[in-house]
Every structure is written in C-alpha cells, then in structure tokens.
Amino acid sequence: MFKLEQRPQVSRFWTYGSPILALLITVLIGVGLFILLGKDPVKGLQAFFWEPIKSGYALGELAMKATPLLLIALGLAVCFRSNVWNIGAEGQFVIGAVAAGGMALLADKTTGPWIVPAILIAGVLGGMAWAGIVALLRDRFNANEILVSLMLVYVATLTLGYLVYGPWKDPMGYNFPQSKTFERVTQIPKLVQGMRMNIGVIIALAGSALLWIFLFRTRAGFALQVGGLAPAAARYAGFSSRKALWMALLISGGAAGLAGALEVAGPLGQLTPYVPAGYGFAAIIVAFVGRLHPVGMIFSAILMSMFYIGGELAQSRLGLPKALTGVFQGLLLFTLLACDTLVVYRIRRVGQKIGAAVSAVKGA
C-alpha cells in the first residue's frame, strides 16, 4: 500500500522546473498518440512546435493567438492569488465581446477613430459587469463563485446567440446568424502591414508589466495575496476581504472583457456564435503553467497558442481531429498537476513500515 507523504522541504528548482518537465512528458505522450493514429510523429511535432514559429507571418499569428490567452490569464492570476476561484472567464470574455460589438455596430461612415478606444472600454466594462454578478452573489449571499461563474458562461453564450440570431442579425447576411461586418474605422490598428497582429499584443505585454508592479510593488497587491494565503492574518492586519473579493473579480472580468473586445474588433470583425473559442478555460492552464507570475504566463500563453495553431495545422495537413488541441491542453494540465504533486509530496510504501514495526516487536 502506498501513500503520499509531505516533503520536509520543497525543492525550489523543481517548483519552477516542473512545468518544463510536464511539457516534455506531454510531448512524449503526444508522440505515442501520433504513432497510435498511424501518423508520422515528426510531422506531428513539426505542426505543433515548428510551423507556428518558422516565419515572420507565423510569429505574428502566434502572437495574435496568444494575446487573448495572456490577457485572460493575467486577470485570473489576480483571482487565484487572492483565493477567489473565477472559473467563468469564458463568459466574461463573451460579454466583453458583446458589449464591444454593440459599440462597434453604432459606427457608420462618418465615425471617427475615437470609436476604437470606446470599443475597448465597452469590452472592459462588459467583462467587469459580468464578473460583478459573481462578486455580488459571493459577497451578499455567500454563493460559491466557482459554480456561479461557470453557470454564467452558459448565460453569456445564450445571450450572444439571442443577439446574433435576433436583433443584431445582419439583414443582408443571407440568413446566417451573424451581425453585420463592422465598419473599417472600428478595426484595431495593426502593428505590421500585411499581418493580422494588432496593438493587442502591446496591450497584453503592458498588462503583464502592470500586473507585476501591482502584485509585487503595491500595498493593494500585497493585501490581495495575503488574503489568499492567510485570511486570518489579513483580517488581523486590517485588510478587507470584501474589497479584495471585488477587486480581484473586477480586474479579472475587465481583462477577459478586453480580450473579447480585441477579438471581435480585430480578427473576427463581427459577432458570430463562434466567438466563444474556449480561451477563458485554456487561460486557466496558462495561468498555472506560468506559475501565476506575469513573466511565466507570457511563455505559457505562447505555448498554449502553439497548441491551438498546431491543432489546426494537424487537422488540415495530417487529417487528425481538431479535438487534438484539447487533448494536448488537457495532457499538459494533467501532467503539471502530477509533477506538482510529486514536488510537494513523496510516495511512501506503508507496508514496509508496518513490516518493520512487526519485526521490531518480535525481536523485542
């Protein structure tokens, strides 16, 4: 019989090295999957880890895919560090996209460039409002934020569906469930001509820097983290748990809403039922693989976007199912949890101890 026994001291090296080990194990399992599916594992690995970085255009697509993942993960890191489990960032992403899309639909041929900041602000406010519902129910009624935030994802998706199938449906769209294409003036400015990469990349990187300052150089960030690690100590120090709850959820919701605004006013250019892309759930993996640290999450967002792009390439070039993207994401999370468990605990065989104790008694 085996049991987990807590290690007397956690290895600092493996605390930060376990994500790399988890990635290597994921790759090895992936090679096995390619072989079982009858595909060349070298070509499969190329699709996931070489094709997304082999050219300037590919790097631009990689950065564009990583932007919403990083923004959402930054907000989630604030929640998780303060022990607030916001699992519904996908819903906040969708409502942010809806709010930004509604602002974009107000534009016409005469609208000026001011509409772009208005779209982004609308997305932030939409995400904050959706996360505010979670904060209100947790604060006033002690509702479980995991269940509330998760259930609100479905409400957000149904709200989007109602709008694109109903009031916001494009009358000239041949009955497709989508809004009209946004005016050109509403498009997020691009960084490089001929590429889809836009200023969202700069916003996400700036957000990482701001989060680092907030978490490690401000009293408010310190109060959030103390509240998450030691609630009793936070109360003794005079930190407000209610304030921490609202701040964490509003920051997280605003970041997810901003990601939604950048998505619909950027590469999508309209509202469709396919706005929910799973970024809100994938960003949870990004946050934990990145160790809830702004710098670590940049690299984990890039890795996760490689999985997205690699899954699409594996589907088109190798004939593999698109679900392979989710398989790799799940494998990475599972192996990371396993590695983290073994970093904190070690496996002990209970039977050996019992046998030794029995032998000692007999010898006495």
Side-chain angles (χ1 to χ4, degrees):
M1 183 178 178
F2 298 93
K3 75 169 186 176
L4 292 176
E5 180 182 273
Q6 189 166 1
R7 296 181 184 273
Q9 186 174 0
V10 177
S11 169
R12 185 176 179 84
F13 172 80
W14 282 113
T15 297
Y16 295 98
S18 65
I20 299 175
L21 178 60
L23 175 60
L24 293 176
I25 296 173
T26 300
V27 171
L28 291 175
I29 297 174
V31 169
L33 285 175
F34 290 133
I35 294 174
L36 287 175
L37 293 170
K39 304 296 181 181
D40 186 348
V42 175
K43 291 183 178 179
L45 293 178
Q46 283 180 342
F48 277 89
F49 298 105
W50 170 243
E51 295 291 337
I53 61 171
K54 74 173 186 178
S55 66
Y57 182 81
L59 287 172
E61 291 294 299
L62 185 69
M64 188 194 68
K65 189 73 75 172
T67 296
L69 291 170
L70 177 57
L71 280 171
I72 300 171
L74 292 173
L76 289 176
V78 176
C79 278
F80 297 155
R81 279 181 174 269
S82 57
N83 204 26
V84 177
W85 296 96
N86 177 19
I87 308 300
E90 181 78 359
Q92 295 143 30
F93 172 86
V94 171
I95 293 300
V98 168
M103 180 62 69
L105 289 172
L106 297 177
D108 55 27
K109 301 295 184 183
T110 63
T111 304
W114 60 266
I115 192 67
V116 173
I119 289 171
L120 297 181
I121 292 171
V124 171
L125 293 178
M128 291 176 72
W130 211 245
I133 298 174
V134 182
L136 178 64
L137 294 176
R138 163 73 185 273
D139 183 25
R140 296 295 299 274
F141 305 104
N142 199 30
N144 186 296
E145 74 271 17
I146 297 176
L147 295 176
V148 173
S149 61
L150 187 59
M151 292 300 101
L152 282 175
V153 173
Y154 299 99
V155 179
T157 304
L158 291 172
T159 301
L160 171 66
Y162 165 74
L163 292 172
V164 297
Y165 279 93
W168 290 359
K169 187 177 182 179
D170 184 6
M172 305 298 292
Y174 302 100
N175 208 34
F176 283 100
Q178 60 191 27
S179 71
K180 72 172 186 178
T181 303
F182 302 150
E183 298 291 340
R184 187 177 183 85
V185 71
T186 66
Q187 291 183 354
I188 305 298
K190 293 180 172 58
L191 287 178
V192 181
Q193 193 65 28
M195 298 174 64
R196 297 198 302 166
M197 183 174 59
N198 56 43
I199 61 170
V201 177
I202 297 177
I203 294 173
L205 293 175
S208 299
L210 289 174
L211 180 62
W212 185 86
I213 295 171
F214 173 74
L215 289 176
F216 306 117
R217 290 295 182 271
T218 66
R219 183 180 184 277
F222 176 73
L224 279 176
Q225 296 181 81
V226 171
L229 293 172
R235 288 192 298 270
Y236 181 78
F239 298 148
S240 171
S241 58
R242 291 185 62 195
K243 183 178 178 181
L245 169 70
W246 280 92
M247 184 182 294
L249 280 168
L250 290 180
I251 291 174
S252 182
L258 177 59
L262 289 169
E263 192 72 7
V264 296
L268 295 182
Q270 62 181 163
L271 286 172
T272 73
Y274 306 106
V275 168
Y279 291 150
F281 297 116
I284 298 173
I285 305 176
V286 171
F288 281 106
V289 172
R291 284 291 184 260
L292 303 182
H293 192 284
V295 176
M297 286 185 287
I298 293 174
F299 293 103
S300 60
I302 293 172
L303 174 63
M304 195 61 62
S305 61
M306 291 174 75
F307 285 169
Y308 271 106
I309 295 174
E312 295 169 359
L313 293 174
Q315 181 187 22
S316 60
R317 298 183 182 182
L318 302 178
L320 292 170
K322 189 178 180 180
L324 197 62
T325 299
V327 171
F328 268 89
Q329 292 175 356
L331 282 174
L332 181 61
L333 179 60
F334 178 80
T335 53
L336 178 65
L337 292 174
C339 291
D340 283 351
T341 300
L342 294 177
V343 167
V344 179
Y345 298 93
R346 57 187 172 190
I347 300 174
R348 286 290 190 185
R349 188 169 182 178
V350 180
Q352 288 180 337
K353 290 186 176 181
I354 295 174
V358 171
S359 299
V361 171
K362 288 181 177 180

